[in-house]
Amino acid sequence: MTDRPTLTTTAGSPVPDNQNSWTAGERGPVLLQDYQLIEKLAHQNRERVPERVVHAKGWGAHGTLKITGDISKYTKAKCLQPGAETPMLARFSTVAGEAGAADAERDVRGFALKFYTDEGNWDLVGNNTPVFFVRDPYKFPDFIHTQKRHPKTNMRSPTAMWDFWSLSPESLHQVTILMSDRGLPVDPMHMNGYGSHTFSFWNDAGERYWVKFHFKTQQGHAHYTNEEADQIIGKTRESYQEALFGGIDKGEFPRWTVQVQIMPELDAEKTSYNPFDLTKVWPHSEYPPIDIGVMELNRNAENYFAEIENAAFSPSNIVPGIGYSPDKMLQARVFAYADAHRHRLGTHYETIPVNRPKNEVHHYHRDGQMNVYGGIKTGNPDAYYEPNSVNGPVEQPSAKEPPLRIHGDADRYNHRIGNDDYVQVTALFNLFDDGEKSRLFANIAAAMSGIPQEIADRQLAHFDRVHPDYGAGVRKARETMTGREPAISVTAKTPQQAAE
Ligand code: NDP
């Protein structure tokens, strides 16, 4: 007799022998009726869900958002009222590397947050940078293709990256951050998070404000140089998981100060930049950050796959008092993230425990794979359509947000016209001290190593426009660096040249 639990099949039947297959004779063969063996092998075959196309490698933990400031005049969101405490989940990630990639690689970091509020899940799916490489979602798949493996060589291609960037000057702001010290944080705790997009707040009076979210690390910023990261990767590929999981395990709970920048609705018509352009920040001097609370991570997942790999964040998840904005990239992500999860995890991915809202969910969606929580969520089996006269769930008009003011005619506007891609990069460059500048130049020179000269020249011209010292610094760093052959050979022509 033993007090250990009985091993069972997935159907609950006791397993008599978990060491030996069921064979005809001692020497085999195995019988097809050995269902325990077949179940074990079949499950192993299905242990992976499709890897995320971007942000595949991630690290996460549970925590709490505590609101201490008062922004009740801007938003009716209950989770943002003074004193509110909301359980939450964070997942950090690199963008380009696959699920097995090393953690300490130079890359943008995802900073995805899910707040389990009383009014439904609110997800803020940001990065550790306030801006992004492209401003029009039409260019997103092209951009990501340049970060992923070349279809023929199956290797990363610096040539493709710089070809795309040099033809897309809107990327310059994010490229500069990526190649600066902040492009390679030592772990998730020592970096900021940014909602990046412009969202909106709205209050009970139906007034709308534009808002940007910031999460400022209380641990301080800490970064690796490329050389330090090479050393780390040589020792461990899991340095972020070790630091985040290990720290929380020891009771070291990382914290971030939560801030918002608020812009009155009509200011959006007056700013010199498009405040809905994801390649731009709102200067702090114009829209000062307001402290509103603290986010703390204090609990590790019990099961990485169930709680971090299965975590499905989507900017479509908002709650009353928070809204979207005209930001084109945000609009596309509102669609694309939920769509990716339906593909990756299944139609009912929001019923996976880590994704389930803490409040009651009532809807009329039906059936489909993994509809495991009782089908139609109306509380009444006869209420499977709407409108109905059997007391099924009905809409809540108070959750309706104010009208979104839209200007202009429908057209395919050239997003490269009328947007200054340099001024804010100059402001950033001017924040760097001499050491940061020289590391920026060296990082770029290393990343450009081996690319065709025409592409390098096209990119250097952008750096020159930011600041003469920027272009000159990168040129000098390139001269002192030994080159290597391009990973692939491409002809560096603009689309116009190629067409001639
Ligand atoms: P500020 O002087 O007020 O700087 C704003 C931000 O710059 C601060 O949040 C600070 O982050 C960040 N910053 C400071 N030093 C560095 C650095 N070495 N590398 C990266 N970021 C740094 O000026 P502006 O608001 O006018 O912004 C100037 C530039 O700063 C922008 O063009 C943008 O590139 C960058 N920036 C701006 C942000 C914004 O929301 N306005 C946010 C982040 C960066 P921290 O407090 O963590 O040190």
Side-chain angles (χ1 to χ4, degrees):
M1 287 292 286
T2 169
D3 55 4
R4 287 174 64 169
T6 298
L7 179 70
T8 69
T9 65
T10 55
S13 161
V15 173
D17 183 344
N18 197 41
Q19 319 303 325
N20 304 296
S21 6
W22 201 346
T23 55
E26 196 181 345
R27 296 185 175 187
V30 169
L31 299 181
L32 185 58
Q33 70 178 35
D34 188 352
Y35 180 69
Q36 288 89 347
L37 169 68
I38 290 169
E39 180 176 278
K40 206 166 179 177
L41 297 177
H43 263 267
Q44 186 178 36
N45 284 343
R46 291 162 178 78
E47 279 179 1
R48 299 286 171 273
V49 292
E51 179 174 301
R52 290 165 168 87
V53 174
V54 283
H55 296 276
K57 181 75 186 281
W59 326 275
H62 298 269
T64 318
L65 171 69
K66 289 186 188 163
I67 300 299
T68 49
D70 186 352
I71 49 169
S72 54
K73 66 181 171 187
Y74 302 119
T75 177
K76 63 184 270 179
K78 285 189 187 156
C79 64
L80 295 176
Q81 301 309 310
E85 284 195 29
T86 305
M88 47 88 49
L89 173 78
R91 181 178 183 271
F92 311 103
S93 51
T94 43
V95 180
E98 294 88 359
D103 295 348
E105 290 185 347
R106 183 170 296 280
D107 197 352
V108 172
R109 265 64 179 163
F111 200 103
L113 309 172
K114 184 183 290 294
F115 302 101
Y116 303 95
T117 88
D118 295 342
E119 303 174 289
N121 288 350
W122 169 40
D123 293 0
L124 203 53
V125 196
N127 281 326
N128 70 328
T129 63
V131 295
F132 194 62
F133 296 94
V134 294
R135 63 166 71 93
D136 192 310
Y138 222 94
K139 299 319 299 170
F140 183 78
D142 291 311
F143 164 64
I144 292 301
H145 288 165
T146 70
Q147 302 297 301
K148 292 288 187 174
R149 294 171 188 273
H150 186 282
K152 181 170 180 181
T153 66
N154 200 32
M155 291 186 280
R156 305 280 296 278
S157 168
T159 299
M161 295 177 200
W162 290 104
D163 193 29
F164 181 90
W165 285 336
S166 63
L167 291 167
S168 313
E170 70 271 23
S171 63
L172 197 49
H173 202 173
Q174 180 78 315
V175 167
T176 301
I177 297 173
L178 173 65
M179 296 297 164
S180 77
D181 288 353
R182 291 197 186 184
L184 188 33
V186 299
D187 57 43
M189 297 86 87
H190 292 87
M191 64 187 197
N192 286 350
Y194 301 89
S196 303
H197 297 286
T198 297
F199 291 86
S200 51
F201 275 159
W202 50 279
N203 59 21
D204 275 322
E207 295 159 334
R208 188 188 292 277
Y209 297 84
W210 307 116
V211 59
K212 292 235 188 232
F213 294 95
H214 304 259
F215 297 78
K216 296 287 184 73
T217 173
Q218 291 189 3
Q219 291 65 244
H221 291 278
H223 321 107
Y224 288 132
T225 62
N226 283 353
E227 294 71 27
E228 288 165 342
D230 288 346
Q231 297 280 322
I232 293 291
I233 292 170
K235 287 192 202 128
T236 173
R237 303 175 67 76
E238 321 303 339
S239 50
Y240 277 40
Q241 181 71 3
E242 287 164 9
L244 181 65
F245 188 93
I248 291 175
D249 216 34
K250 281 191 282 185
E252 294 163 7
F253 300 150
R255 290 179 163 198
W256 286 262
T257 303
V258 186
Q259 298 179 328
V260 291
Q261 286 177 286
I262 306 273
M263 182 186 288
E265 186 177 19
L266 294 179
D267 272 24
E269 294 164 26
K270 296 189 267 181
T271 51
S272 58
Y273 49 90
N274 172 3
F276 310 120
D277 177 347
L278 187 54
T279 69
K280 303 286 191 300
V281 296
W282 297 354
H284 288 175
S285 54
E286 294 173 28
Y287 299 98
I290 305 167
D291 284 6
I292 64 164
V294 174
M295 181 180 89
E296 178 186 272
L297 298 183
N298 46 33
R299 181 163 61 88
N300 278 321
E302 289 300 315
N303 181 289
Y304 178 87
F305 181 85
E307 295 166 57
I308 307 300
E309 182 67 5
N310 265 348
F313 303 86
S314 173
S316 52
N317 287 347
I318 51 170
V319 292
I322 301 175
Y324 311 125
S325 81
D327 178 341
K328 299 172 198 180
M329 288 290 290
L330 173 61
Q331 296 282 326
R333 293 179 77 214
V334 163
F335 156 72
Y337 277 59
D339 185 56
H341 301 316
R342 288 184 199 107
H343 161 67
R344 210 171 75 82
L345 302 172
T347 312
H348 293 279
Y349 69 92
E350 305 263 38
T351 59
I352 295 172
V354 75
N355 299 323
R356 283 181 83 183
K358 305 285 184 222
N359 59 321
E360 273 198 39
V361 173
H362 301 125
H363 60 68
Y364 293 88
H365 303 313
R366 286 195 56 171
D367 306 352
Q369 273 193 333
M370 301 296 286
N371 187 2
V372 290
Y373 286 102
I376 309 150
K377 292 181 174 46
T378 64
N380 179 347
D382 293 328
Y384 59 94
Y385 54 88
E386 209 283 332
N388 61 59
S389 54
V390 289
N391 290 327
V394 289
E395 65 254 15
Q396 187 185 9
S398 64
K400 182 177 179 297
E401 67 175 75
L404 183 68
R405 288 167 217 254
I406 305 284
H407 301 283
D409 301 324
D411 204 348
R412 291 188 185 274
Y413 293 93
N414 185 335
H415 68 87
R416 299 227 169 79
I417 295 177
N419 280 300
D420 183 294
D421 292 319
Y422 303 93
V423 167
Q424 291 201 350
V425 194
T426 307
L428 176 65
F429 186 76
N430 288 334
L431 285 178
F432 295 152
D433 63 25
D434 288 347
E436 285 175 291
K437 282 181 185 159
S438 65
R439 288 189 293 278
L440 171 75
F441 303 149
N443 292 338
I444 291 175
M448 278 186 157
S449 171
I451 70 171
Q453 189 61 40
E454 307 96 287
I455 293 178
D457 287 343
R458 200 161 57 212
Q459 185 66 40
L460 284 161
H462 294 307
F463 295 145
D464 289 336
R465 280 187 69 176
V466 173
H467 197 292
D469 292 353
Y470 195 169
V474 175
R475 278 189 191 85
K476 194 153 175 236
R478 275 171 61 77
E479 280 163 20
T480 55
M481 189 156 281
T482 44
R484 64 184 162 89
E485 290 305 306
I488 58 161
S489 159
V490 301
T491 310
K493 286 182 177 170
T494 63
Q496 289 82 358
Q497 286 169 331
E500 281 165 9

